Amino acid sequence: MTETWDPAGEGVLRLPSGRLVRGRGLRRPVPAGPVPAFAVHLLGDPPPPVAWESQWLRWPDFRLPSDRSAARAVLTEVWDRAPGERVEVACAGGRGRTGTALACLAVLDGVPAEEAVAFVRRNYHRKAVETPWQRRYVVRFAGE
């Protein structure tokens, strides 16, 4: 079992349960320090390979996941693995799709769906979740 992230680390979101998930932008270099045990790449096209376990979730920029049931499954896996492993969600810029995914993880963690975007903006990045349809997706994620 891998240790979880340093809660003071760059881009690390602490969920109310104490689970830690790193969000980041793939356009920037991998942050210094430990690499994730598992990462989900939220991109419109397949990402380049990485040296750790990863999964690609087709999610075009400024849009929603192409397959919502696959999105729920992979985000649930991230949430399930977070207590004992370093897990990461990442898109190109690290704000819109990543923020939306982090807000969905917050919903899984018990944050009311109507408050999840504000939670992520307060605790991850103030510009997380960029579009109105991404915000609606988070609210609907709770009921799917």
Side-chain angles (χ1 to χ4, degrees), residues 31-122:
V35 298
F38 179 64
V40 176
H41 297 141
L42 314 166
L43 299 168
D45 295 313
V50 291
W52 48 88
E53 183 183 356
S54 66
Q55 187 166 343
W56 170 48
L57 179 62
R58 184 172 169 70
W59 191 329
D61 202 7
F62 296 105
R63 308 249 174 165
L64 299 176
S66 297
D67 181 337
R68 293 183 187 187
S69 63
R72 176 169 281 284
V74 75
L75 292 175
T76 299
E77 181 175 359
V78 168
W79 187 81
D80 286 343
R81 291 174 75 160
E85 296 180 61
R86 291 183 180 104
V87 293
E88 171 182 274
V89 293
C91 66
R95 293 187 186 157
R97 293 167 285 183
T98 296
T100 303
L102 291 172
C104 290
L105 291 170
V107 169
L108 289 174
D109 206 60
V111 174
E114 298 77 20
E115 299 171 22
V117 171
F119 174 84
V120 170
R121 287 180 175 167
R122 196 171 46 252

